[in-house]
Amino acid sequence: MKAHIALLPGDGIGPEVTAEAVRCLKAVGARYGHEWRLDEAPVGAIAMDATGMPLPPATLALAKTADAILFGAIGAPRYSDPALKVRPEQGILQLRQELGLFANLRPVVCFEAVLDASPLKPELLRGVDIMVIRELTGGIYFGAKTRTATEASDLCVYTVTEVERIVRLGARLARQRRNRLTSVDKANVLETSRLWRSVVLRVMKDEFPDVVLEHMYVDAAAMHLLRRPSDFDVVITENMFGDILTDEASMLPGSLGLCASASLGSGTRGLYEPIHGSAPDIAGRGIANPYAAILSAALLLRHSLALETEARALEAAVVAALDAGVRTADLKPAGRPASTHEAGAAVLARLR
Ligand code: IPM
Ligand code: MG
């Protein structure tokens, strides 16, 4: 097939890890006879340096016409002053909103070969395979904001439609997996959560009575994710809870550097990014873990291009590289850590 892929490497370690994901995508294309058109554009702090805008119009236009977007990371210390009106992070938030990418799939999978990289006990981690679906274009991230010298506010709003589409996606995915859906909210305190829960109850009763449903408060979910992670199958939750819980959940596989994500809307166009940030402290040194970026490229093949065989081949190659002991510094290697490029090469060498 032919596909047009937008490359938005962004800031910090974004370009380094994206380069390895692109090498893998090219290899998949060559091996399976696909033709990719790859176009790169600036986003985030580097785009602000050049244009003053975190999401220049040309970058947005590219993202809107491509079949899929491979995204690196965003954010830089030189733009972290809280007094700033324009910030790099607005680049990714605008992209999600402009492209209608309302659902963020964040798989949390523990890889057998690196169980020891996690701060948690290996016996807790075996078999962990969670699909967190984070609502991505609503809630407190996108509500009205106010600020005076003495007061500030962020409004959290959810509509029935916004909740319904997340529930349906979560329930459909649960049916293809272990048929369990956990809905995370704070319905004991927040009105948006009470709306969320009532929509979940209705949609599940009317449309998915066969899927096992449970509700969990977000504080309890934060605890149970560490106490009994293998009990979770599909988790649905609102924007900010999902942001926080998935960083927490990344400690199950052992590193943010193993956690990929797919941001999807109602069509097939999606944005694929590792959930880690720009990690300015290690940027430019060639030591960042590229596996999450490569696994994000696999999600791109699966969800935007419907290339399941190719997606699985790439995921299997990452697992094989981990099995062979190729570990970047974040994965606590016994000997010399693999560089970003070496880890990418290890995946390439194992691609069937
Ligand atoms: C994420 C990030 C972003 C978010 C930031 C960079 C705006 O933390 O994708 O999880 O909060 O959504
Ligand atoms: Mg986050």
Side-chain angles (χ1 to χ4, degrees), residues 40 48 88 116 150 155 175 198 228 239 272 315 340-341:
E40 189 174 322
M48 284 177 67
D116 63 293
T150 53
L155 188 65
R175 273 182 180 161
S198 67
R228 48 178 184 89
N239 204 342
Y272 302 85
E315 287 166 345
T340 308
H341 199 66

Side-chain angles (χ1 to χ4, degrees), residues 106 134 141 243 246-247 275:
R106 298 189 160 189
R134 167 190 178 193
Y141 271 63
D243 178 47
T246 49
D247 266 34
I275 81 164

